Amino acid sequence: MKWVTEVNVPKYDFDVNHRQKQLFLGSCFATHISNKFSNFGFNQVYNPFGVLFSPIACANLISSALLEKPLPQEHIIKRDDNFFSLDAHSELFGSSREVLQDRLDEASQNLRIALLESDVLFLTLGTAFVYRYLPTGAFVANCQKVPANQFEKVLLTADEITNELQSSFEILRQYNPKIRIVLTVSPVRHTRDGLIENQRSKAQLLLAVEKLLRTDAVFYFPSYEIMIDELRDYRFYESDLIHPNQIAVDYIWEKFTTAFCTEETLAICNELQKFRSFEAHKPLTNLQSHSTKLISQKAELLLRYPFLLL
């Protein structure tokens, strides 16, 4: 007896493996999958500018990094004795404008290198609602607690999302022709917008994805559909009833690896899982013996698989 209606996840015509480099950009759902990649020893970079919910913000940062175009100075604001950029997450801040600028330049350079070197870009779209900063007329990534009367809230259309992302993808393909782009839509609901509004937002993102799939080397992984349909029960959510819990993340990860990974990659992941379990074990006695075995196991793994990042 089947207890869920399963989402059809295709077997993609390329694989994701430990010898490649991967880049994760976008909303907080990308954090979960990126953490899985890190845990299993993949060579990956995650959101140099912090969590990004807006597809426009992602597109702008991709283009700016590749073209080495500095972010607008007009988007640097001061709050609580620190400086923040409206084009980055609040985790990037500085005690002075110069300190912040150095951090932004470093993030942009890290993003540029990752875009040039990565084999796969995983881009998670969070919401179609964006904020226009009225003093400049530009869409921003983060309002940074600036008074609301300085912004206009806008629901992007699928065409607007498509055009912005398509433009940045074209630039990216010029600099890195081999890269493949895997799009996902975050299953995390933006309840502050309202549940009805959230559905409208996700609909625009999904329509934009459908248009972008007509481009070569752009693919879609249905994490949104898996969470909303197969894992629709609230036991798969955190206590806030919004974010997927670890069981859900593990389930989606299993679907992901089945779709993207070869038998060799899966076998390496299984070995890494045993190593991580042993690493996490905290013995009450024989601590030195446990530490020695841990070092030995790590050395053996790296000898067999020198491309792992442990």
Side-chain angles (χ1 to χ4, degrees):
M1 181 181 293
K2 294 182 65 175
W3 293 99
V4 298
T5 51
E6 293 187 21
V7 175
N8 179 32
V9 181
K11 183 69 176 177
Y12 297 85
D13 63 1
F14 68 98
D15 67 287
V16 175
N17 60 69
H18 292 85
R19 295 177 178 84
Q20 299 171 335
K21 293 184 178 181
Q22 297 91 22
L23 169 63
F24 291 84
L25 292 178
S27 80
C28 55
F29 182 73
T31 307
H32 295 299
I33 302 302
S34 173
N35 286 341
K36 282 288 190 181
F37 267 75
S38 179
N39 185 65
F40 285 103
F42 287 86
N43 186 357
Q44 54 92 36
V45 173
Y46 165 71
N47 271 345
F49 283 92
V51 172
L52 302 166
F53 298 102
S54 162
I56 300 296
C58 294
N60 288 341
L61 289 174
I62 289 172
S63 300
S64 296
L66 289 170
L67 299 174
E68 299 184 278
K69 178 182 176 182
L71 298 177
Q73 288 289 315
E74 299 86 352
H75 289 177
I76 293 180
I77 58 99
K78 185 178 182 181
R79 170 173 59 82
D80 300 330
D81 297 324
N82 282 303
F83 289 82
F84 300 84
S85 172
L86 301 177
D87 296 306
H89 191 272
S90 55
E91 69 183 48
L92 268 72
F93 66 91
S95 56
S96 67
R97 180 179 288 267
E98 292 73 25
V99 171
L100 173 60
Q101 189 62 59
D102 287 343
R103 294 199 66 187
L104 293 174
D105 291 343
E106 180 182 9
S108 185
Q109 184 62 19
N110 290 339
L111 176 57
R112 188 174 194 275
I113 292 172
L115 288 166
L116 293 175
E117 296 182 350
S118 292
D119 297 277
V120 187
L121 163 62
F122 294 97
L123 176 58
T124 300
L125 310 179
T127 178
F129 280 107
V130 295
Y131 290 86
R132 189 194 311 275
Y133 186 46
L134 296 178
T136 63
F139 292 123
V140 297
N142 195 307
C143 293
Q144 304 291 10
K145 299 183 179 180
V146 171
N149 61 8
Q150 296 193 41
F151 297 94
E152 176 191 11
K153 186 177 182 180
V154 177
L155 177 63
L156 296 172
T157 67
D159 284 339
E160 289 172 321
I161 297 168
T162 302
N163 292 339
E164 292 294 329
L165 287 174
Q166 184 67 57
S167 176
S168 67
F169 291 169
E170 289 174 358
I171 296 171
L172 175 56
R173 295 282 293 174
Q174 290 174 14
Y175 281 84
N176 184 355
K178 75 177 187 299
I179 197 168
R180 291 179 171 90
I181 301 165
V182 178
L183 299 173
T184 61
V185 172
S186 173
V188 178
R189 293 163 296 156
H190 288 243
T191 54
R192 290 184 179 180
D193 294 325
L195 288 176
I196 295 173
E197 291 78 5
N198 172 75
Q199 289 297 90
R200 292 171 180 163
S201 166
K202 299 295 187 185
Q204 297 302 323
L205 296 177
L206 291 166
L207 287 170
V209 166
E210 193 275 332
K211 296 173 184 290
L212 289 164
L213 290 179
R214 300 168 191 171
T215 306
D216 290 340
V218 177
F219 305 84
Y220 179 64
F221 178 74
S223 56
Y224 174 83
E225 291 80 0
I226 294 170
M227 190 73 208
I228 298 301
D229 202 310
E230 291 191 37
L231 305 179
R232 69 181 71 170
D233 193 292
Y234 276 110
R235 72 179 183 273
F236 297 115
Y237 288 81
E238 297 285 6
S239 58
D240 62 5
L241 305 181
I242 297 172
H243 291 84
N245 62 19
Q246 192 58 51
I247 296 174
V249 172
D250 290 344
Y251 184 90
I252 295 174
W253 170 254
E254 185 176 335
K255 291 272 190 178
F256 180 94
T257 53
T258 300
F260 282 107
C261 296
T262 63
E263 290 299 322
E264 179 195 29
T265 302
L266 291 174
I268 294 173
C269 287
N270 286 334
E271 291 192 56
L272 261 294
Q273 183 63 56
K274 295 175 183 177
F275 171 74
R276 293 302 188 194
S277 295
F278 185 77
E279 183 182 44
H281 179 62
K282 304 297 181 184
L284 298 177
T285 58
N286 298 322
L287 298 181
Q288 185 59 46
S289 175
H290 178 269
S291 178
T292 301
K293 289 180 180 178
L294 184 63
I295 294 172
S296 175
Q297 287 187 16
K298 182 176 181 178
E300 182 181 349
L301 280 170
L302 291 175
L303 182 64
R304 294 168 59 199
Y305 311 114
F307 44 79
L308 292 180
L309 292 184
L310 297 179

